Each structure stands twice: as structure tokens, then as C-alpha cells.
Amino acid sequence: MHLRLAVLLAVFCLTACNSKKSAPRAGADTTDQPAGEVLELVFSYGSEKEEWIKECTAAFHARAPKTTAGKAIKVLAIAQGSGDCIEEAISGSPRKVHLTSPASEAYVKIGNARWASRAAGKELIAKTENLVLSPVVIAMWRPMAEALGWPQKAIGWSDILSAAQDPRGWSAYGQAQWGRFKFGHTHPEYSNSGLISVLAEAYAATGKREGLNAEALAQPSVRQTLLGIEQSVVHYGSSTGFFARKMFANGPAYLSAAVLYENNVIEANDAQRYPDLAFPVVAIYPKEGTFWSDHPIGVVEREWVTAEHRDAARQYIDFLLARPQQERALSFGFRPAAVDVPIAAPISTASGVDPKEPKTTLAVPPADVMDAALALWRETKKTSSVSLVMDVSGSMRGSRIKNAREGGRQLVANLSARDRFSLLTFSSAYQWLFQDVPLSSGRERAQQAIGGLIEGGGTALYDAIAEAYRAQTERQRADPARIGAIVVLTDGEDTDSRLKLEGLLQRIRFDSERQPVRIFTIGYGEQASEKALKAIADATQGRFYKGTPENIGSVFRDIATFF
Amino acid sequence: MNPESTQGPRITCLGQGVIVLFVASLLGFAGYLLWHKYAAERPTGPSAGSTSTESSPPPAGKVVEFGLAYGTEKKRWLEWAVEEFAKSRSGQRIKVNLIPMGSLEGGQAALSGDRRIHAWSPASSLYRDVFLQEWEARRGGGKSPLLKEETLALTPMVFVLWQARADAFSAKYKSVSFRTVGEALAEPAGWQAIAGQPDWGVFKFGHTHPQQSNSGLMTLVLMAYDFHQKERGLVLKDVLDPAFQAWMAKFEAGVTGMSNSTGNMMRDMVLRGPSTFDGLFVYESVVIDYLKNAEGRWGELRVAYPQRNLWSDNPYYILDVEWSSAEQRKAAQAFLDFLLTEPIQRQALVHGFRPGNPAVPVRFPESPFMQYERFGLRIDPPVSAEPVKAEVINNLLQIWQRTRR
């Protein structure tokens, strides 16, 4: 499921289906409003708490809540990355958000700083309350953690750095069969856990626990630490949940460890959710300190938020913080923000976590320091080599090709200047327009080429993917330090390839030890074969997206977060 | 840092007012405490200031709403009280809108004409005269906007630490005081040097913002008294003493958090545990209020009293303002009378406050002050520090501002 775009319209059990009239609240004007008068409260939130919010929102609607003026309250709850929560609140597009809850205070700080620079010092989110909490942890397969000395020895970022930099990989720990040390965290510009990872790496390099500043970030040791750790990253991504699911479903061959939340570890060890888990997963609370994902919730201080929205927001927040909802949060693996709810199972060692951890935390630095840390990350992040495989068959005519061209250009725009890019188009046959162009000098050329694509002919999808995979694999062999990926966009089923799907799947099968090339597939419109495209993405540990002319821009943007 | 410098940070008009009247309020309050001490020994008595005619419920058939801006240290007690009030006869047709705000923030909102606010209950009467002065400056007319003033509950300041950390701290420093906390904060190796516990990180201690929170300002005054090891006669010379300034700067450099709300800070300590705060300097009431919650999260807390203390009196002001109707004032009075009744005052005790109604006893077996003695709570108030002059406070805040640069 595409979390970034997921719009969660919970079940609204409003007055129409509620035969029992709710008791009027003291002092409220209980005069019934004309039928159908509804106040919609747009609520964006970090996708980490999606399941809990979905359940709570449905329960909230079931109570038929009303504003003081008597309008029915409908909460439109939208799960997305924390970065997007803030960006949307600032831009007011595509939705005008009234209430938001990113995964941590760090994004509130960033949002307030960005908005203050545009709006004469005003805050974007003035007051917040914590909904739930979860420490940021390094989730690791238990045997791997034990190989590093856990639990007798406290593990931290320095151990991750050592493992990441050791060319012998797990052999250095007497476990040659595990291959390379493979690490993962999300994209820090889109996802809270990614941002936290970068800040924690920087803190660990300085030896500080607070007071991270520009001067400290300028130290060569900080750059070296970030470079060392980031080179072991298999890929980035926009969603912590996606990372977690991939890790737990694909086992230690896919990832040795990843920066996740404590609640993700609890989910992993839930036998009902992951009956075939390769090994138990444990939460490592880094010895240098970590951050709390504290899920602040606050009204967006923009002109479209009325007193009625604030009234509705207050009722919704109070509902989320009430004991029954907080107890449910515990069952989802979160630490309740209501302190009268004691910490109990599943937050226990049986679920791979420690309720008495973390022992020390790191201070969220000011927004300008976080921006400086992100700039340093962009300079030290793992680079990518990306091939875009674009369907230009006759069926792509009209808005399809137009919007796909725009989306492809956006993909190129979002890649780093240190990345390399290739473009292969296909209709009845494939054609390389250019290969392995460094974007430092070739970005404009790449965007012009994508902008000039025209449609016509059949669909030799499998042949095109096979060719792109062959060429990309060769590039990976020559330059194994890069993330290798292919992005495929097609709007139809294969009609012209000599190669069949089974043959293609055999050629591209994932091998984590042989510098993998991941394929991200976009089924563009209803005619695309979702089944085949999903099989291709799954075979390479990539990801399948369902695209439309309307969402294709954000699909490409999301794919770019993996690199 | 040059104490003689005239280039130091300037304190706002409101801040100056706070300072000037801090002294007056403390003096007045000292008198109140003396009265309270004796009055508390009386078996029963009517709530001070209440009249039966004022607390009569509003006319039948109409619901009256009024807003009460209050300091978050009273959040749990007041939220409970509002629920109880709604069930009572006098509360049948009254809706109390609780508006959580910092002590200074609530007053500022009323001054700015926030029409939601009809009554205000900051943490202490520290801000009362500042409020009146500002009101007169903005609106003139010579009429006080405070229709009624009453003390709801009392509480002193305390140090609170997690048990394991308190034990380790005491093993090293023998006692918890500003001086020993300062030593721990200045320890670069943190808990490794204090107790051989490197995984506890640095020593993390917090208090609220002195310019935004009543308890933060009290912290600075008590720090100055503690440094000079005296209970009275804190003078300008003492706070201008370079040795004190250097010690305070070092102390404050290590302080973390600096919230504008004592209640929120305590809640944060319980929520995030020793990973975020090893200890705080807060109201005794908030500690009592969170003792049980803390056990359900990270373990037991331990309390220690500073050698000299200051009290917070949690006043309740009914506002006589143009946006407040006669019905709303009556409703605010009815709620005040309700808050001062014995059952509600007893509940204040449960939430850690020493009752404002002197008829409600503190010394009985179920009293938290007796029940929680093992946590370090004491029933007898510690020694009260003497109020200090405005110029002392003024300079104290200026020096503090410099330490934040």
C-alpha cells in the first residue's frame, strides 16, 4: 500500500445511523443544525501510528461528535511521512490541514522555523501535546545482536560504524554465512526516523548528548562517521513502517539492522503478524543515547483554521488522550502519553524491548542545526545509479504521457548531483536514450530528454526490463558503492517481448550478496498488469506502485526517497 | 561576567512589575501563612470569603458558561473538580471551561481582552499586582478587575529524583541541595564519575523558565539563599557577588528542559523517565500527584526539601471585566465556593496540595504527607525564606538572562 498517498476515510457512523441521540453537553447549544451540516477536520499524521489512529477515529465517529454549534465532526485522517505533514501545512496543498501530528518534536521545530521565515516569525504549530511515545531504536536480529556482544555489552552507533566499515562483514564476528553488514534507515528529509538517525550519528561522532551545533558538525570525525555508516545503507525510503515490514518479511539477508521505533520491534515479535519470522528481533537502545518519537499533536496556525475547527480538534485530541484510547495505544506497542496508564505488556522483554530503556536521550537541536545536519547527510549519503525505463507505447497518449513526463522530470530533480542516471524507453522495442550520466553535469539533458518523449507502437515491457537490468548490473559491478535501482513505468501488459515473465523473474532474482539492483514498478492506469509488475518488484526487493495521471508526480517523488 | 556592567539585558516593563510586586506578595503571603498555620488547627469552619447568596445557582432553565484560566500544576485536581461540580446542585446549570495556561500567560491573556477568561488561577499571587498595574496602564478608570480573591491551595518547592539516581546521588554527595546538584551538573563525565554508571549519561536536571513560570523564579531566589547559606537578609551585594554569579552560570549551563509549565515538566519526567530527567526542582504538589504514575512507568521517586523554601498559594481571581456578565461572575463564585468545600479540598490533598481551606486537616493517616513519608515527604513545612527586595530579584533575573546567552 502506498502510505504516502493513503487517504484514510474512516467509517463515519454519524447521526443518520445512530438511533440513540447523544446526551447534550452542559452549556452547549444543542439546537439541531440543518441535516447534513458537517465540519470536516483535516488531520495529517505520521504513518507510524496509522493502525491506532484508524481505530480511534472510527470509534470517535461512532460517538457522533458535534461542535459546540451543533455541526457533526468528521475527521479526515491522512497518514503520511512526518516531513510531508509539515510541508503540506506550510504549502496548504494539496489539502488545507487543520490538525497535524508528525512523529516527533523535531519536525515541529523544523516546521516552525520554516514558517517563521515566511510569516514574520509566526509559529506553524504553536501548542502541542504528546499522543503516544516510542523510543527510536536500532532493530536487529537477535543472533546478530548477540554476535556483537548484546545483551552483556551495551551496543551503540560506534558498533554499527565498526560493523559497517569492516570489509569482512559478519566474518569479523565469526558469522561468515551472514555476508555483508546491511543497514537501513529512512530518508531523513521525509521521515522522522531517518532524521533521527542522522542526528544520532552526528551526536555519537561528537561524543555529545546535547548542544549539537554547526561547529561540532564541521568536525572531520562527524563527516567520517556519517560516511562510514551511510555506506552500509541498502537504500533509504519514506516510510519507517515499510522498512520494518520489508525487514521482518525478508529476513536477515535483506537487512541486518535498521533504525525503527520500539513499537515496530514489538510488531515483529507478534507471531500472529509475522508467523514465519526468521529470528526474534530485539531493540537496541544506543548506548550513546537516542530520541523519543513523541508524536506531538497541534492545531496548524493557518488562516483557514476557524474557531470551530479548534473546537473539533480539542474534542478529537481529548478523545485520543482518554484512557480507553491510550490503553489501546499500549496494545499497538506505544507507550501511552497518559501517565496514569502504566507500562505493561507488550512493552516487555518477551517482545524484544526493555520498558526501563532508554537510559539516556539526546537533545533535539535547533532547526538551523538540523538543516546543517541534513546538508551534511546529503554530502555523505550513499549515492545511486538509477535507470528509468519508460513506456512510450501508443496507449500512453494524452494526459498519460504528459503527466508521466512531468513525474519523470521530478524524479531526476529529486536525485542528488552525485547520483548517475540512465534512460531507456520502450514501445515495440527498447532504446537507450543515454546511459550512466552524472547528474552534476547531465541533469538538464536528462530532463530535456524526458520532456521530449512521444508515444507510439506496442509494449515490449519484459525485454526492456531485462536490458535495463543487464546494463544496471554491469554498472553495479563497476561501482558497487552505489545504490542500484531501476524505475519502470508502464500502462499496459507486455505485447511485444520475446522474453516471458518467468524468464525475466529468473534473471532478476534478488541476491543480497551480489550487489543487488532493485526494481521499482509503476502500474500506470487500469490496463497495467499489477500482478506481473508486483512480481517483478518483489523478486528484487523493490516496490510496486499504482499510478494514475493525477498521482504520478508524488509516486515518482516517493520512489526518489529510496535513493 | 562583569556584575557592574550596565550593558546587561533589560527586563521588560511587565518583568519589572513582577519583580517589584514579588516582594509585596511574599510579604503578604507570609502573613497569610502565619494565619493559616493557626487556623489549620481549628476543627471546622466556613470557607473564607464565601457567602451563601453569592454561590446561589444561576436562574432556572439557563446554562451559564465561564472560562477559568489556570496553571497546569492544578490540572488534575481542577479537571476532577469540574466533573464533580457538574454533578452538584450548584453546578447543574454551570459549565466551567478550563483553560490551561502558564501563570503569567493567563494574566496576559486577560489583559489582552481574551473573552474566554472570566476567572484566573495562577500558581501564586506573585503576578497579582503586576496584573493590576498593567490593567490600569492599559484601561485606566481606577477600578480593580479583580472582583474576588481567594487562596485555593498551598505548596512548597522540592527536589525530586528517581530512586536509583537519588540513592546514587546521596551516596556521593550525602544530601540533595542546590550546591550538590550544581556539583553533579558540572561533572563532565556525568553519572560515570558520580556513581560509576556510564550508561546513565550526564546528570540531567531541570527547573522551569524563571521569566515564564512562578516555580522558575522561586528557584532562582532559593538558589541565591542556598549559596549564601542563609534564610533571611538576601541583599543586592549577595547576588552581585562574582562567586555567586559564576556558580549560578555554571549551574544553569547544565540545566535542561526549561519548560514554561511545572505540571508539564513533571509529567515529562514521568513520561520519558530518567533518560530525560534525573531530577527536577518543582512544586511538592506535582510530585505527589505523579508519585503513583511514576511507579507504573519507571519506578519510585524520591523527594528532598531545600533548606529554605518559598510557598505558592494558588489564588483564584474572579474577574470584573466588560465581557463577563453578572451570571458568569456568580457562576465563577459558585465554583470557587465548591472548590473550597471540604470534599474538594480533601481531593486537593490527594493531588498533593496543602488545603487553602484551613478547616481541612493535613495530619491524618490517609494524608499523602503521612502515607508517602517513605518517598521523603514531610508534613511540616520546611523553613520559609524571607522575602527579598525588588532590586535583588531584578538583578537575579538579569544575571540569569546572561547565563542563557
Side-chain angles (χ1 to χ4, degrees), chain B residues 92-202:
Chain B
Q92 286 295 303
R93 292 187 301 280
I94 296 173
K95 187 188 176 205
V96 185
N97 294 322
L98 286 178
I99 307 163
M101 286 182 168
S103 289
L104 189 54
E105 191 187 1
Q108 283 291 357
L111 284 168
S112 306
D114 189 330
R115 302 176 76 85
R116 297 174 302 158
I117 302 173
H118 307 94
W120 171 40
S121 180
S124 87
S125 50
L126 180 67
Y127 302 112
R128 175 191 177 278
D129 294 333
V130 180
F131 176 78
L132 293 178
Q133 191 181 51
E134 285 273 320
W135 184 273
E136 182 61 24
R138 290 191 194 192
R139 299 179 185 241
K143 185 185 159 203
S144 169
L146 303 184
L147 185 68
K148 190 70 180 281
E149 308 171 35
E150 203 74 60
T151 290
L152 292 182
L154 301 155
T155 190
M157 300 292 294
V158 295
F159 294 100
V160 57
L161 286 93
W162 294 103
Q163 184 196 1
R165 314 264 166 139
D167 291 347
F169 190 95
S170 297
K172 165 89 175 178
Y173 298 108
K174 310 303 175 206
S175 67
V176 184
S177 68
F178 284 111
R179 190 176 288 273
T180 55
V181 166
E183 282 179 42
L185 285 171
E187 187 53 74
W191 280 106
Q192 183 167 18
I194 298 167
Q197 296 277 7
D199 57 342
W200 289 1
V202 292

Side-chain angles (χ1 to χ4, degrees), chain A residues 25-28 127 130 133 209-210 292 294 335-343 355-361, chain B residues 63 65 76 95 100 105 165 198-202 204 256 267 270-272 274-276 290 293 296-299:
Chain A
R25 288 173 295 108
K127 283 195 173 181
N130 301 130
L133 286 92
R209 288 193 167 96
E210 57 186 1
W292 284 99
D294 53 2
R335 302 191 186 198
V339 289
D340 54 348
V341 180
I343 297 294
K356 295 301 177 196
E357 288 277 5
K359 288 200 175 69
T360 191
T361 46
Chain B
V63 172
E65 284 189 41
R76 289 175 155 194
K95 187 188 176 205
E105 191 187 1
R165 314 264 166 139
D199 57 342
W200 289 1
V202 292
K204 299 168 287 292
T256 53
R267 184 176 160 278
V270 172
L271 204 52
R272 297 164 199 254
S275 70
T276 302
Y290 282 97
N293 295 153
R297 294 278 172 149
W298 304 91

Side-chain angles (χ1 to χ4, degrees), chain B residues 60-382:
Chain B
K62 187 178 176 187
V63 172
V64 177
E65 284 189 41
F66 82 93
L68 171 61
Y70 72 101
T72 48
E73 60 284 336
K74 295 187 285 291
K75 180 179 166 69
R76 289 175 155 194
W77 175 50
L78 285 182
E79 284 181 347
W80 174 86
V82 165
E83 282 181 20
E84 293 302 305
F85 184 57
K87 298 174 201 164
S88 72
R89 183 176 131 340
S90 56
Q92 286 295 303
R93 292 187 301 280
I94 296 173
K95 187 188 176 205
V96 185
N97 294 322
L98 286 178
I99 307 163
M101 286 182 168
S103 289
L104 189 54
E105 191 187 1
Q108 283 291 357
L111 284 168
S112 306
D114 189 330
R115 302 176 76 85
R116 297 174 302 158
I117 302 173
H118 307 94
W120 171 40
S121 180
S124 87
S125 50
L126 180 67
Y127 302 112
R128 175 191 177 278
D129 294 333
V130 180
F131 176 78
L132 293 178
Q133 191 181 51
E134 285 273 320
W135 184 273
E136 182 61 24
R138 290 191 194 192
R139 299 179 185 241
K143 185 185 159 203
S144 169
L146 303 184
L147 185 68
K148 190 70 180 281
E149 308 171 35
E150 203 74 60
T151 290
L152 292 182
L154 301 155
T155 190
M157 300 292 294
V158 295
F159 294 100
V160 57
L161 286 93
W162 294 103
Q163 184 196 1
R165 314 264 166 139
D167 291 347
F169 190 95
S170 297
K172 165 89 175 178
Y173 298 108
K174 310 303 175 206
S175 67
V176 184
S177 68
F178 284 111
R179 190 176 288 273
T180 55
V181 166
E183 282 179 42
L185 285 171
E187 187 53 74
W191 280 106
Q192 183 167 18
I194 298 167
Q197 296 277 7
D199 57 342
W200 289 1
V202 292
F203 180 67
K204 299 168 287 292
F205 184 82
H207 63 71
T208 59
H209 196 293
Q211 290 176 318
Q212 295 172 359
S213 163
N214 179 64
S215 70
L217 183 53
M218 288 185 161
T219 306
L220 295 191
V221 175
L222 291 173
M223 280 170 70
Y225 267 124
D226 195 75
F227 181 83
H228 292 291
Q229 295 288 297
K230 55 184 180 183
E231 289 82 40
R232 46 191 61 247
L234 188 76
V235 294
L236 192 56
K237 184 168 161 261
D238 294 326
V239 297
L240 294 180
D241 176 359
F244 167 67
Q245 291 195 28
W247 173 77
M248 182 183 172
K250 203 172 173 186
F251 187 106
E252 289 297 300
V255 165
T256 53
M258 207 66 79
S259 167
N260 64 355
S261 156
T262 319
N264 288 348
M265 211 158 176
M266 186 67 224
R267 184 176 160 278
D268 240 27
M269 178 167 170
V270 172
L271 204 52
R272 297 164 199 254
S275 70
T276 302
F277 288 118
D278 296 307
L280 294 177
F281 191 62
V282 290
Y283 301 121
E284 177 192 62
S285 60
V286 297
V287 178
I288 294 171
D289 210 12
Y290 282 97
L291 273 178
K292 285 289 160 197
N293 295 153
E295 282 189 76
R297 294 278 172 149
W298 304 91
E300 289 189 1
L301 293 169
R302 286 292 176 268
V303 170
Y305 292 83
Q307 279 182 281
R308 300 122 195 120
N309 220 321
L310 291 168
W311 292 76
S312 295
D313 56 338
N314 292 284
Y316 182 101
Y317 302 124
I318 298 173
L319 301 185
D320 183 7
V321 289
E322 69 266 21
W323 62 84
S324 176
S325 67
E327 284 79 17
Q328 284 170 320
R329 291 171 206 173
K330 277 190 177 177
Q333 178 67 50
F335 186 54
L336 169 60
D337 291 343
F338 182 76
L339 289 175
L340 291 173
T341 58
E342 190 162 330
I344 309 304
Q345 287 282 295
R346 276 185 175 273
Q347 190 65 21
L349 200 62
V350 170
H351 289 284
F353 290 99
R354 296 166 190 252
N357 179 351
V360 179
V362 173
R363 196 184 293 272
F364 59 98
E366 294 78 29
S367 161
F369 297 96
M370 301 194 74
Q371 209 179 346
Y372 299 144
E373 255 180 331
R374 68 187 177 88
F375 295 103
L377 288 167
R378 283 196 235 153
I379 200 157
D380 295 317

Side-chain angles (χ1 to χ4, degrees), chain B residues 372-394:
Chain B
Y372 299 144
E373 255 180 331
R374 68 187 177 88
F375 295 103
L377 288 167
R378 283 196 235 153
I379 200 157
D380 295 317
V383 178
S384 244
E386 185 187 45
V388 292
K389 288 183 180 173
E391 61 179 2
V392 175
I393 304 286
N394 189 354

